[in-house]
Amino acid sequence: MGILSSFSLEGKVAWVTGGCYGIGYAIAKAYAEAGATIIFNARSEEHIQKALEDYHKDGIDAHGYICDVTDEASVQKLVAEIEEKYGALDILVNNAGIIKRIPMHEMSVEDFRQVIDIDLTAAFIVSKAVLPGMRRKGHGKIINVCSMMSELGRETVSAYAAAKGGLKMLTRNICSEYGEENIQCNGIGPGYIATPQTAPLRERQPDGSRHPFDAFIVSKTPAARWGTPEDLMGPAVFLASEASNFVNGQILYVDGGILAYIGKQPK
Ligand code: NAP
Ligand code: GCO
């Protein structure tokens, strides 16, 4: 196999959870361009339809399903439908996620539990549902979308950091438990990416000035810019392809250098 063909996803079936927009959409688009059949899901028919329009505009024949990733019965039903229609999944990206930015002393346990449920427990639910098919096929790729908060904390994101830290260790455990069956589980760790999830951190102030957090992140990033979902496409294809068959249990940070950098000295 030539080195470039080891990055091909031709003939592969990939499910990107929450692949309607943002990072998930970009990863799914990259996988489609690399040859994969794309499955995605959302909680609302409206988001499914909008995403199908976008995929169509991008020349991608994606398949969307209503599924809340925290609902194990719904996930298992969808996996059975996928396997019936397209065959067992080759690639799973646990992308679906939320964040709640609330100071811990003000956060309700319900809010904490909801973030853990979606950002961590759902990755367990969906991975558990797809593993039998991957084990039968004798190969599989599970990619968990981690975060800077898999390594770092910051004010107001206690639930999210706990979830993303746990997701890093779930990644390592899936690697440990199924590596012998040629199933690789790695994480992709985006830095600060311009998507709807981070829009509140980039909103212009009433006086038209930049959001303080916007300037802060640019000063903390050697690349001196926010990332884009497109920055994740190549690394995500690598982790889903045969080119990474001996890479397992790793978190590939795509952060423009944030984790390596103390931050720009204020002028
Ligand atoms: P986003 O724009 O808010 O998109 C989140 C996606 O997850 C949406 O498609 C959403 O669908 C879906 N989702 C949420 N809860 C769900 C559930 N219970 N069941 C099914 N789908 C659900 O977020 P993003 O910025 O693209 O982030 C995607 C992933 O990357 C998340 O895991 C996030 O934590 C992670 N991440 C983001 C950044 C960043 O800077 N943006 C950096 C590092 C990691 P609905 O329309 O149904 O809500
Ligand atoms: C925040 C941001 C971050 C990003 C991302 C960083 O409020 O700090 O939302 O958490 O989403 O996870 O990698």
Side-chain angles (χ1 to χ4, degrees):
M1 173 191 290
I3 188 63
L4 287 181
S5 57
S6 70
F7 288 82
S8 169
L9 302 183
E10 283 297 338
K12 304 291 188 185
V13 182
W15 178 13
V16 180
T17 68
C20 286
Y21 49 87
I23 288 172
Y25 183 90
I27 291 177
K29 183 170 178 238
Y31 287 5
E33 288 176 10
T37 297
I38 301 303
I39 315 287
F40 71 96
N41 68 292
R43 291 171 288 186
S44 73
E45 183 60 31
E46 179 198 354
H47 285 175
I48 295 281
Q49 291 309 318
K50 172 65 174 64
L52 286 172
E53 284 169 26
D54 293 340
Y55 280 116
H56 183 68
K57 278 184 204 143
D58 284 333
I60 297 166
D61 177 23
H63 310 281
Y65 294 86
I66 300 278
C67 177
D68 182 325
V69 291
T70 64
D71 177 345
E72 186 171 31
S74 171
V75 166
Q76 289 179 338
K77 180 171 176 286
L78 176 51
V79 169
E81 196 170 335
I82 292 169
E83 292 184 349
E84 175 72 25
K85 215 165 177 184
Y86 309 102
L89 282 153
D90 300 286
I91 302 160
L92 167 66
V93 180
N94 285 307
N95 165 77
I98 66 166
I99 192 167
K100 288 180 184 286
R101 301 182 183 96
I102 305 167
M104 186 170 157
H105 62 279
E106 295 172 8
M107 178 177 264
S108 70
V109 71
E110 291 75 19
D111 276 337
F112 186 92
R113 284 192 174 122
Q114 187 189 16
V115 174
I116 297 289
D117 217 18
I118 295 171
D119 293 11
L120 177 57
T121 308
F124 164 80
I125 289 170
V126 183
S127 301
K128 180 186 169 189
V130 307
L131 272 168
M134 291 181 173
R135 298 181 74 192
R136 282 196 304 273
K137 288 184 94 160
H139 68 258
K141 298 281 188 180
I142 297 175
I143 295 145
N144 293 320
V145 184
C146 295
S147 161
M148 296 291 93
M149 274 63 218
S150 296
E151 304 291 345
L152 303 169
R154 84 173 186 85
E155 300 79 2
T156 78
V157 296
S158 58
Y160 185 84
K164 294 299 186 179
L167 190 57
K168 174 173 75 171
M169 287 315 300
L170 178 63
T171 300
R172 290 179 177 166
N173 215 75
I174 294 171
C175 150
S176 306
E177 206 159 355
Y178 298 99
E180 199 175 357
E181 299 186 59
N182 191 29
I183 293 167
Q184 291 85 45
C185 182
N186 291 289
I188 190 165
Y192 278 81
I193 311 296
T195 71
Q197 192 247 51
T198 56
L201 305 175
R202 293 176 281 110
E203 275 167 1
R204 284 281 167 187
Q205 302 299 282
D207 65 2
S209 63
R210 286 171 71 183
H211 191 296
F213 197 90
D214 178 356
F216 168 68
I217 283 302
V218 170
S219 77
K220 291 287 283 180
T221 309
R225 66 172 175 88
W226 283 74
T228 66
E230 291 68 28
D231 286 320
L232 296 157
M233 293 169 85
V237 168
F238 166 65
L239 290 176
S241 72
E242 296 190 7
S244 63
N245 278 359
F246 204 56
V247 177
N248 210 353
Q250 301 303 310
I251 313 299
L252 177 55
Y253 287 103
V254 186
D255 67 353
I258 293 178
L259 287 177
Y261 187 38
I262 195 170
K264 191 174 289 302
Q265 180 179 346
K267 287 190 175 65

